[in-house]
Amino acid sequence: MAALGSITAYPVSGAAARAVRLPMLLLTWLFAATAVAAPLAPAVQTEIDALLERLETSGCELNRNGTWYPASEAKPHLQRKLRYLEDRGMVQTAEQFIELAASGSSMSGQPYLVRCGTGAPVRSGTWLLSQLQSMRAAGQAKSAP
């Protein structure tokens, strides 16, 4: 028996522990199963599509986990990561897409880099945010809410 301030706690084990844990697990599963991910707002989807198109046609390269890939190969990879986040309701803005999907490896934690021509590599998040700002300033993409 352990005292927690003025509350006395009794260790729970065996059948009693299972009786408490099982309903909690079922409630957690039910909540997770009923959560519905909302699709991206059309303006946000347009911005992300435009960003990926800019990357794909930039002639730049993307470094992912130490290997350089043509930007055209980066687009499908980033689209898969976006779908994963969308399915879980984890992204609502272009900035969130950049931060959560396009800035680094979710497996290794290493940042993605973009290299254009003979220029120095820059973090992909920096490059994409710059492109997003440029698109918004030119009126090519609507600002996210």
Side-chain angles (χ1 to χ4, degrees), residues 10-92:
Y10 295 91
V12 179
S13 62
R18 284 189 297 279
V20 170
R21 279 184 276 190
L22 183 59
M24 291 304 291
L25 287 171
L26 290 173
L27 284 174
T28 302
W29 177 82
L30 181 62
F31 178 74
T34 59
V36 177
L40 288 175
V44 174
Q45 186 65 59
T46 299
E47 284 185 330
I48 293 171
D49 290 344
L51 278 173
L52 293 175
E53 181 68 24
R54 277 195 176 203
L55 179 61
E56 180 180 41
T57 60
S58 67
C60 299
E61 297 175 292
L62 183 85
N63 185 300
R64 206 173 93 221
N65 295 319
T67 302
W68 289 100
Y69 297 92
S72 60
E73 291 182 25
K75 182 178 178 179
H77 174 72
L78 295 176
Q79 287 172 321
R80 282 190 302 277
K81 288 182 77 173
L82 173 61
R83 276 193 304 275
Y84 176 88
L85 293 170
E86 276 185 284
D87 289 348
R88 286 151 183 81
M90 296 173 66
V91 62
Q92 288 85 37

